[in-house]
Amino acid sequence: EQNSKMVRVAFIHPDLGIGGAERLVVDAALALKSKNHDVSLFTAHHNPSHCFAETKDGTLSVTSVGDWLPRHFCHRGYAFWAYVRMIYVAVYMVYFSESTFDVIFCDQISACIPVLRRSGARVLYYCHFPDQLLQTERKSWAKKLYRRPLDWLEEKTTGMADVVLVNSLFTAQVFKTTFCSLVKVQPSLLYPSLNFSFFDQPPEDLKDVIPPRAEFVFLSINRYERKKNLQLALKAFSALQKRLKEPLLSQAHLVMAGGYDERVVENKVHYMELRALAQKQGIEENVTFVRSFTDKEKVALLDSCLALLYTPSGEHFGICPLEGMYAGKPVIAVSSGGPLETIVDGKTGFLCDPTPDAFAEKMFQLVSHPDMAKQMGTTGKQHVVYKFSFEAFTEKLNSFVVSGQKS
């Protein structure tokens, strides 16, 4: 029966690197493959040294085309060129690929949907967050003029998908207020999930990353981007140190682990900004910076920490809090966006104002009461298993793929 329902599914994604969106795409592909569907991935960039293991070890079929196209022009026009690169991949899929597809799963950039529809396949569009809201700086008339056609194109083409999926109720609400012309489109909710089996593997030894004296390790996991507000983690740790006395003072440690891509100027610049901030705060001896860690290193980092710090405000969903809770660690996050739907305040972690003192207060509680951290971690893991299992994600995604329903 499963074979009779086999569907040929293609995923199209701008850049198969390391990030929350990429993890979602990989997990979705694995989920559908587990249902015996024929799955393939298409992208404009795939670097084997900066990607998830499943995309390079033969688990998933990945085709990369169009990487010769520029990503910017003199460090301008990133969004425009991202649209061009994605449309190029779509043209290749529809007109030059030897494969045919029943369903195409598209995310992040909707501009390629008109091309994808030419294939005759049903198009599922996964909206992590409206792209136009990710572009925050629009102070100049030139920037506003540049973004206007791109914003129009995003809204118009998003409405052309057969099914629109969103990652949280927060994003669903933002979708409705942003895309005013799409009143007839009702996005369906599909929470991201975790593949628990991967996080159940024995952790690696991290003796070279975390000093032996570090008994209370706080971990921040996020890309080295300014919008992730990573400075908050450093300032909160500095505020925590002012509250601690020996021996706790020397036993507290912060690990800043972030996605880092040499091609992205902001990653390199912001990494240096954060190191300078740590030095300015006088905490550099108690902070370890980790760049472009492997999946196995992430599991080890989560295993070794007391709690996870999650600093972005208005985050669309945020997969890291799920990873932290499943690892049995409490999560301290900003009280907005996706974490409001994933973290149970006071039970699986803490939801705080985005200030160093607010974070430091909760960090101090956990250092002072390790048993509280352990109990929260136990509750958090149970919460994730119940609400965000890979099996539940697989079944719901599969229902969208095998049915003919429209948004």
Side-chain angles (χ1 to χ4, degrees):
E1 183 178 352
Q2 279 189 320
N3 289 335
S4 66
K5 292 184 178 180
M6 190 273 286
V7 179
R8 295 165 297 183
V9 184
F11 286 79
I12 176 171
H13 185 77
D15 183 339
L16 271 179
I18 297 176
E22 289 71 39
R23 187 67 253 174
L24 179 282
V25 169
V26 171
D27 285 342
L30 293 172
L32 295 180
K33 189 172 182 180
S34 74
K35 287 292 186 179
N36 292 332
H37 297 309
D38 181 46
V39 176
S40 53
L41 283 74
F42 293 83
T43 182
H45 179 79
H46 181 240
N47 182 354
S49 65
H50 185 75
C51 65
F52 290 112
E54 298 93 336
T55 67
K56 65 178 179 180
D57 63 8
T59 302
L60 296 171
S61 169
V62 177
T63 301
S64 177
V65 295
D67 207 11
W68 56 270
L69 287 164
R71 296 180 61 250
H72 56 82
F73 179 74
C74 296
H75 299 294
R76 295 184 181 276
Y78 282 95
F80 169 79
W81 284 109
Y83 281 34
V84 170
R85 287 162 66 93
M86 194 72 157
I87 292 171
Y88 181 91
V89 177
V91 169
Y92 173 85
M93 289 173 61
V94 175
Y95 296 107
F96 298 99
S97 171
E98 296 180 356
S99 304
T100 56
F101 315 106
D102 303 307
V103 174
I104 298 177
F105 184 108
C106 172
D107 76 310
Q108 286 197 326
I109 296 174
S110 61
C112 61
I113 291 178
V115 178
L116 298 177
R117 288 183 63 87
R118 300 288 295 177
S119 68
R122 290 174 58 245
V123 178
L124 276 62
Y125 180 66
Y126 194 91
C127 179
H128 301 278
F129 208 65
D131 179 63
Q132 58 191 260
L133 298 184
L134 300 176
Q135 312 298 324
T136 54
E137 295 294 327
R138 300 193 181 200
K139 296 178 181 179
S140 67
W141 64 268
K143 184 74 171 182
K144 293 176 182 177
L145 189 63
Y146 161 70
R147 282 299 315 187
R148 187 171 296 173
L150 297 181
D151 294 348
W152 175 87
L153 184 63
E154 180 187 16
E155 182 165 347
K156 189 73 173 178
T157 55
T158 296
M160 296 176 70
D162 294 298
V163 178
V164 176
L165 306 174
V166 290
N167 56 7
S168 65
L169 295 173
F170 172 69
T171 299
Q173 186 58 42
V174 172
F175 181 97
K176 292 178 181 178
T177 57
T178 304
F179 299 137
C180 299
S181 69
L182 304 183
V183 290
K184 294 183 179 179
V185 176
Q186 295 298 322
S188 298
L189 176 63
L190 178 65
Y191 280 130
S193 76
L194 291 184
N195 193 333
F196 299 153
S197 60
F198 180 81
F199 286 87
D200 289 336
Q201 61 184 320
E204 293 182 339
D205 186 4
L206 282 175
K207 61 182 180 181
D208 294 332
V209 177
I210 300 174
R213 70 177 186 279
E215 293 290 330
F216 304 103
V217 177
F218 290 93
L219 172 65
S220 168
I221 299 180
N222 250 311
R223 290 191 302 276
Y224 285 106
E225 296 177 356
R226 295 184 184 93
K227 68 181 181 183
K228 299 300 183 180
N229 198 18
L230 298 175
Q231 292 185 351
L232 175 57
L234 291 169
K235 292 178 180 178
F237 185 74
S238 177
L240 170 67
Q241 285 202 318
K242 293 180 174 65
R243 297 170 185 239
L244 295 176
K245 297 179 180 179
E246 293 294 354
L248 297 181
L249 180 61
S250 59
Q251 292 174 340
H253 198 79
L254 174 65
V255 176
M256 301 289 292
Y260 184 92
D261 190 336
E262 284 288 347
R263 300 175 306 137
V264 181
V265 175
E266 184 184 10
N267 286 177
K268 296 190 287 187
V269 173
H270 194 47
Y271 170 74
M272 297 307 298
E273 291 172 345
L274 293 171
R275 292 201 71 109
L277 177 61
Q279 186 173 10
K280 182 179 179 181
Q281 296 283 332
I283 59 175
E284 68 271 20
E285 294 298 321
N286 297 93
V287 179
T288 299
F289 288 88
V290 179
R291 293 178 289 179
S292 295
F293 46 86
T294 65
D295 290 339
K296 291 184 177 180
E297 287 172 336
K298 177 194 285 188
V299 171
L301 287 169
L302 287 167
D303 180 72
S304 66
C305 75
L306 174 69
L308 179 72
L309 306 181
Y310 196 68
T311 55
S313 292
E315 188 72 359
H316 332 141
F317 178 77
I319 197 69
C320 287
L322 294 190
E323 295 173 339
M325 288 185 286
Y326 187 76
K329 311 297 178 179
V331 181
I332 304 175
V334 175
S335 181
S336 70
L340 291 172
E341 299 173 47
T342 57
I343 298 169
V344 183
D345 189 29
K347 294 185 178 180
T348 70
F350 297 107
L351 295 169
C352 307
D353 291 333
T355 65
D357 285 339
F359 267 62
E361 178 185 346
K362 302 305 182 184
M363 294 163 71
F364 182 75
Q365 285 186 33
L366 296 178
V367 171
S368 304
H369 306 285
D371 288 344
M372 177 195 294
K374 186 172 294 187
Q375 179 57 49
M376 282 187 159
T378 301
T379 304
K381 183 167 186 174
Q382 294 170 348
H383 172 63
V384 172
V385 170
Y386 174 75
K387 193 172 181 180
F388 301 100
S389 73
F390 189 70
E391 290 74 21
F393 171 79
T394 298
E395 292 302 325
K396 191 163 187 180
L397 176 59
N398 187 60
S399 71
F400 290 119
V401 168
V402 300
S403 71
Q405 66 179 355
K406 307 280 184 176
S407 285

